[in-house]
Amino acid sequence: MSNKKIMIRSLKTVEELDQVRSLESIIWSEYESIPSSQTLTAIKNGGMMLGAFLENELIGFQYSFPGFKGDKIYLCSHTLGIHPQFRKLGIGEKLKRAQKEESLKMGYDLVTWTYDPLETVNGNLNLHKLGARCSTYIENCYGEMQDELNQGMPSDRFTVEWWVKEDSLERPSQYELEGRLLVKVDRDSKENLIPNETDLEGDSAEGFLFVPVPSDFQSLKKNNPELAISWRMSTREVFTHYFKNGWTAIDLFRNETNPDLCYYVLKKL
């Protein structure tokens, strides 16, 4: 299916927002869908709703509302959803690029959102493709969630910062993994990737630090929930420590020699 047929535009009417709510019910559940009255109010007060259409069918959306911390006003990017039949078409990236354009028109210079750092597809989009960054780790951010993607796992999240008026940080085309790996990874007799020792002594290092994570966390969680929890706790320890000590996650990459792992790149900014 051709990406050229996909159109992104702002949604503003109750009828359009009702379509979004129906799509949310398909993606997650009716219980988790947001009432149209709430999204409409947010849109009228500095928020936005973007829709992705294939011909006349709504197949994806992105919803944001304004937020503030102290004197800083920013756009809080709350939900992004794609119909299950239309994933892997680059629609999420299209929606985020459109969000950047609309944010600049509305006067925002910062867009924030959360995502699970063990979901590497999201990490690749957020950090590698969009050039966002993260230095905030929230343990069990949303409590115990019951949807298919999050059930049975503490809902730890990165809080992403996307400074839309700034150029992305300069990054090398390739990274040398001879630098410090902050989680030692072994394989058991069944070739499962096991996180073992964590390194919390790298604060004085120069250049980059690397945090390995499984490249397909959903499959790991489905096939070996205990091991998935082990990855959650090991990476939680590392990210929490280094973020508190001035490090920032600036990128995520896959090492072609070991496709079972992806690597977060940390740097002091």
Side-chain angles (χ1 to χ4, degrees):
M1 190 175 299
S2 174
N3 262 6
K4 296 180 181 178
K5 297 180 181 178
I6 298 168
M7 293 181 55
I8 309 294
R9 62 177 175 84
S10 294
L11 309 180
K12 298 183 182 297
T13 69
V14 173
E15 291 76 17
E16 291 171 330
L17 298 177
D18 285 343
Q19 291 183 55
V20 172
R21 191 171 189 188
S22 296
L23 181 55
E24 285 184 279
S25 298
I26 294 171
I27 298 170
W28 296 296
S29 69
E30 184 175 358
Y31 171 78
E32 294 175 285
S33 65
I34 304 172
S36 301
S37 58
Q38 199 277 340
T39 53
L40 181 64
T41 301
I43 291 167
K44 289 181 176 180
N45 292 275
M48 75 172 72
M49 181 75 80
L50 299 172
F53 290 85
L54 183 62
E55 297 180 346
N56 293 319
E57 181 183 0
L58 180 69
I59 60 172
F61 75 94
Q62 197 291 310
Y63 168 53
S64 308
F65 54 81
F68 72 93
K69 188 173 184 179
D71 294 331
K72 181 61 184 175
I73 299 172
Y74 53 88
L75 188 69
C76 182
S77 184
H78 183 52
T79 49
L80 187 153
I82 311 296
H83 193 292
Q85 295 180 6
F86 299 98
R87 290 172 183 163
K88 299 185 179 180
L89 297 178
I91 298 171
E93 183 174 358
K94 284 180 174 290
L95 284 164
K96 295 301 289 185
R97 300 288 184 191
Q99 181 190 47
K100 178 178 181 178
E101 293 179 10
E102 291 300 312
S103 298
L104 290 169
K105 292 177 185 177
M106 297 172 71
Y108 292 107
D109 65 349
L110 173 62
V111 183
T112 71
W113 64 94
T114 63
Y115 80 96
D116 185 339
L118 294 179
E119 296 292 349
T120 55
V121 171
N122 294 341
N124 179 62
L125 172 61
N126 296 336
L127 303 192
H128 185 72
K129 292 184 177 180
L130 299 179
R133 65 189 76 163
C134 174
S135 57
T136 303
Y137 191 98
I138 305 175
E139 297 182 14
N140 206 23
C141 179
Y142 301 111
E144 299 301 319
M145 304 176 71
Q146 299 305 314
D147 63 286
E148 183 179 351
L149 291 176
N150 296 286
Q151 189 173 16
M153 183 69 51
S155 58
D156 291 19
R157 294 292 186 268
F158 273 6
T159 298
V160 170
E161 294 184 351
W162 194 19
W163 295 91
V164 292
K165 289 185 177 180
E166 297 180 7
D167 293 331
S168 298
L169 294 171
E170 186 174 344
R171 299 170 300 186
S173 58
Q174 291 185 328
Y175 294 97
E176 296 295 333
L177 281 174
E178 284 73 14
R180 190 184 294 267
L181 286 173
L182 301 180
V183 179
K184 181 181 178 183
V185 182
D186 295 321
R187 290 185 184 268
D188 64 14
S189 59
K190 296 181 180 180
E191 290 298 300
N192 292 313
L193 292 167
I194 310 296
N196 282 325
E197 298 176 13
T198 57
D199 183 352
L200 305 181
E201 303 298 327
D203 292 314
S204 60
E206 296 183 359
F208 302 116
L209 299 176
F210 303 99
V211 183
V213 294
S215 59
D216 188 353
F217 188 63
Q218 286 299 321
S219 293
L220 174 63
K221 188 170 70 171
K222 180 179 178 180
N223 297 324
N224 196 329
E226 291 185 0
L227 181 55
I229 289 287
S230 181
W231 273 104
R232 171 68 86 214
M233 297 309 173
S234 294
T235 54
R236 172 194 285 182
E237 180 182 32
V238 166
F239 286 128
T240 299
H241 173 83
Y242 283 93
F243 287 172
K244 286 181 178 178
N245 285 278
W247 293 81
T248 297
I250 65 163
D251 202 358
L252 176 79
F253 72 96
R254 186 188 298 268
N255 183 5
E256 294 181 0
T257 62
N258 190 351
D260 294 330
L261 289 171
C262 290
Y263 297 84
Y264 277 98
V265 181
L266 305 188
K267 182 179 176 61
K268 277 196 172 181
L269 301 181

